[in-house]
Amino acid sequence: MAHDNHNLAIFRGKIKFKNNQQKIWGVFILLSIITIVEVALGIIKPEVLTHNHLFSLKILNWIFLTLTVVKAYYITWDFMHMRDEVKFLRRVVVWTAVFLILYLVYMLLEEGSYIFDVYKEGFIKFNF
Amino acid sequence: MEAAVVNTGTEGKTWGGGNRPLKASYGKMMMWFFIVSDALTFSGFIASYGFSRFKFIDAWPIADEVFTHIPFVHGNYPMYYVAFMTFILIFSSVTMVLAVDAGHHMKKNKVILYMFLTIIGGLIFVGSQAWEWKTFIKGNYGAVETKGGQIIQFFNKDGERVALKDFALPVHTERTTQQKNTGIWYQKEKSLPTVSLSEIKKGFLANDNLVARTQYLDEDGKPIVLSRQESVALMNNDAKGVVEGANLIHNEYGHPLFADFFFFITGFHGFHVFSGVVINIIIFINVILGTYERRKSYEMVEKVGLYWHFVDLVWVFVFTVFYLV
């Protein structure tokens, strides 16, 4: 990475910082806002969000998970300088992790809820 | 000595070697690959946490009721302290990336300052985590375990949580902690709970105002509170032991797996933070000694920075799955 060759635009170029320090503080403010929103939602737990489900997961949890991925994106892209790396270094790191993790998470969550059904519907007496 | 160099005729061609298509140094790329593999390890842990949670989806403890403490303050404050820890870690990431930036401009004193702040942030985080563990292990209200390993917690009719020691009535017994010399096969036992099961039973039956709450959740995701009659039956028939705090086998907050995963995942993450602090200190000393000034490159700071940000990245996910979702 060339030293003074930072990509200083975030939000697809909507916000452009003057220098790298400014970008760092800008991203910090963004991450702080996201964290504050998460904590506020976690404490208030609005009923609209906890009682409605999308694909059998609460809307609130979808929001939490989405915000987490957004945070992870900015940490990787701006703090870890992924934005300034070559396209294929980015792909080698991110795609490998993303595909393997999605597969792993899908398998384990699917099997977990299967076992839950066995406990619930099956002949095992569990509640005593 | 003559060098045995054979010309391959491919010099200057793409496959002639010496290319750096990813435009990153060896060390940095290996740090990235290590991070990918470590990310997969953490995903394995977090996914297995998800597996166990989905397996017991109707009986999983609610994080808001478990982590309610702030140091030096009494009262019920869910989430605030862990939010503070998150900020500390994000902020130490910011100072780290500022140190990397100062390194690019070869400003030694700024690198020293920012790395120092990063190390302090890391230490505060590890300390907070240790405190959180201590609080979690010590427990809060105490609970009773049934024969089937379910956890019963106690509430008064106003819906307020009641601690075991607040309603247990004294029963005269001679039960003492078994020592090694009196135990079967020289096994000693762990210290006895502060109140015995018979004292709790006596107190519970004497006080009509108390009800039991199971670890099972209703449709709204709230634990089911039994009626007084059901509670008395449960206490008389199924109560087996007293649980105060949490360890790897018993957990007063609910399912033992919750405590197991909490210890394992936050412990593994805390260990990463700790090793990150140690590596940061080593690099910090090198910066002060001027090693990178002589090397004319602060890339080493960038590499430990990558590791440090990764630790922050993992915390973002741990925070979500343990405290929010």
Side-chain angles (χ1 to χ4, degrees):
Chain A
M1 184 181 67
H3 284 172
D4 291 317
N5 193 16
H6 292 292
N7 187 348
L8 296 174
I10 65 170
F11 291 148
R12 295 198 161 269
K14 287 207 178 63
I15 297 181
K16 202 159 165 51
F17 294 102
K18 272 194 231 95
N19 56 42
N20 198 33
Q21 276 108 324
Q22 267 198 8
K23 185 180 83 165
I24 294 165
W25 287 111
V27 172
F28 171 63
I29 291 169
L30 177 70
L31 293 179
S32 306
I33 292 172
I34 296 176
T35 309
I36 290 169
V37 169
E38 278 181 340
V39 172
L41 282 177
I43 290 171
I44 302 167
K45 290 198 188 209
E47 292 231 331
V48 191
L49 300 177
T50 53
H51 281 72
N52 292 310
H53 294 69
L54 179 68
F55 303 118
S56 68
L57 190 63
K58 287 175 194 159
I59 304 272
L60 187 64
N61 288 354
W62 278 113
I63 294 175
F64 285 147
L65 293 172
T66 315
L67 289 179
T68 305
V69 173
V70 171
K71 262 161 93 175
Y73 171 84
Y74 282 102
I75 290 174
T76 321
W77 252 243
D78 290 309
F79 288 176
M80 298 168 101
H81 301 299
M82 249 330 183
R83 210 186 279 283
D84 304 327
E85 301 290 357
V86 182
K87 187 198 276 173
F88 269 89
L89 177 56
R90 234 157 31 209
R91 291 185 176 171
V92 163
V93 170
V94 177
W95 287 11
T96 311
V98 165
F99 284 125
L100 284 173
I101 290 169
L102 281 180
Y103 177 65
L104 183 70
V105 167
Y106 162 70
M107 281 317 248
L108 286 183
L109 296 193
E110 179 67 24
E111 292 305 303
S113 46
Y114 167 71
I115 295 178
F116 171 74
D117 287 340
V118 170
Y119 276 154
K120 203 176 164 75
E121 317 290 343
F123 296 108
I124 302 169
K125 181 165 162 52
F126 187 62
N127 185 7
F128 58 95
Chain B
M1 190 184 121
E2 288 282 311
V5 174
V6 179
N7 280 346
T8 54
T10 56
E11 292 83 10
K13 296 231 166 67
T14 312
W15 54 88
N19 282 324
R20 287 168 56 179
L22 298 183
K23 294 195 178 60
S25 71
Y26 176 80
K28 210 164 118 179
M29 231 162 66
M30 288 307 120
M31 183 50 95
W32 268 116
F33 291 158
F34 164 71
I35 286 173
V36 170
S37 68
D38 215 20
L40 293 176
T41 308
F42 269 108
S43 326
F45 293 157
I46 291 179
S48 58
Y49 166 83
F51 172 83
S52 299
R53 188 168 170 169
F54 271 70
K55 186 171 158 186
F56 300 109
I57 194 75
D58 63 344
W60 201 252
I62 298 166
D64 281 2
E65 293 185 357
V66 180
F67 307 102
T68 57
H69 294 277
I70 296 181
F72 314 116
V73 184
H74 286 283
N76 188 7
Y77 303 101
M79 302 271 299
Y80 291 103
Y81 192 57
V82 70
F84 162 77
M85 284 165 66
T86 308
F87 272 110
I88 289 289
L89 208 55
I90 291 180
F91 193 73
S92 78
S93 250
V94 170
T95 53
M96 188 76 231
V97 76
L98 287 170
V100 173
D101 189 69
H104 285 160
H105 297 108
M106 303 297 285
K107 289 176 185 157
K108 183 180 164 189
N109 287 333
K110 277 198 159 177
V111 179
I112 292 175
L113 171 71
Y114 287 133
M115 283 212 73
F116 179 72
L117 291 176
T118 309
I119 292 166
I120 297 296
L123 288 175
I124 294 177
F125 183 86
V126 175
S128 307
Q129 215 165 32
W131 183 86
E132 184 125 309
W133 270 47
K134 193 204 97 190
T135 320
F136 185 75
I137 291 169
K138 187 162 151 274
N140 202 4
Y141 296 99
V144 164
E145 204 173 62
T146 69
K147 289 173 190 158
Q150 316 287 327
I151 289 295
I152 309 172
Q153 298 166 336
F154 299 98
F155 281 74
N156 63 23
K157 289 231 164 103
D158 303 328
E160 283 161 2
R161 190 85 189 267
V162 184
L164 293 182
K165 61 177 187 303
D166 292 343
F167 67 85
L169 291 176
V171 177
H172 183 72
T173 48
E174 293 294 325
R175 180 85 165 87
T176 51
T177 309
Q178 200 151 40
Q179 298 302 318
K180 215 170 166 184
N181 56 354
T182 55
I184 302 166
W185 289 109
Y186 305 104
Q187 297 243 322
K188 64 173 183 172
E189 69 179 347
K190 295 207 177 95
S191 58
L192 291 172
T194 50
V195 285
S196 74
L197 183 62
S198 47
E199 286 169 344
I200 293 167
K201 268 191 185 170
K202 189 177 169 195
F204 184 78
L205 296 177
N207 189 344
D208 273 338
N209 203 21
L210 293 174
V211 285
R213 193 179 78 166
T214 64
Q215 63 185 34
Y216 286 98
L217 309 172
D218 61 16
E219 289 84 30
D220 290 340
K222 301 227 163 48
I224 297 168
V225 181
L226 300 177
S227 68
R228 171 73 189 164
Q229 212 174 1
E230 289 167 330
S231 308
V232 171
L234 188 65
M235 280 301 279
N236 277 332
N237 300 329
D238 289 338
K240 186 165 171 271
V242 182
V243 189
E244 285 174 320
N247 52 40
L248 291 173
I249 304 160
H250 304 287
N251 171 13
E252 72 158 56
Y253 308 101
H255 204 285
L257 276 176
F258 179 84
D260 296 344
F261 277 108
F262 176 77
F263 288 131
F264 198 67
I265 294 179
T266 64
F268 198 65
H269 175 263
F271 180 67
H272 272 76
V273 181
F274 173 73
S275 55
V277 168
V278 171
I279 297 168
N280 271 342
I281 289 174
I282 293 170
I283 301 299
F284 178 64
I285 293 170
N286 276 340
V287 174
I288 292 178
L289 293 178
T291 311
Y292 307 120
E293 204 70 22
R294 285 195 293 280
R295 214 181 266 180
K296 294 190 174 52
S297 161
Y298 278 86
E299 205 192 56
M300 211 62 196
V301 178
E302 196 175 330
K303 283 178 222 163
V304 294
L306 282 180
Y307 181 70
W308 190 253
H309 299 312
F310 170 70
V311 168
D312 182 24
L313 188 68
V314 171
W315 180 254
V316 166
F317 284 91
V318 173
F319 176 61
T320 305
V321 300
F322 265 98
Y323 298 92
L324 292 176
V325 172

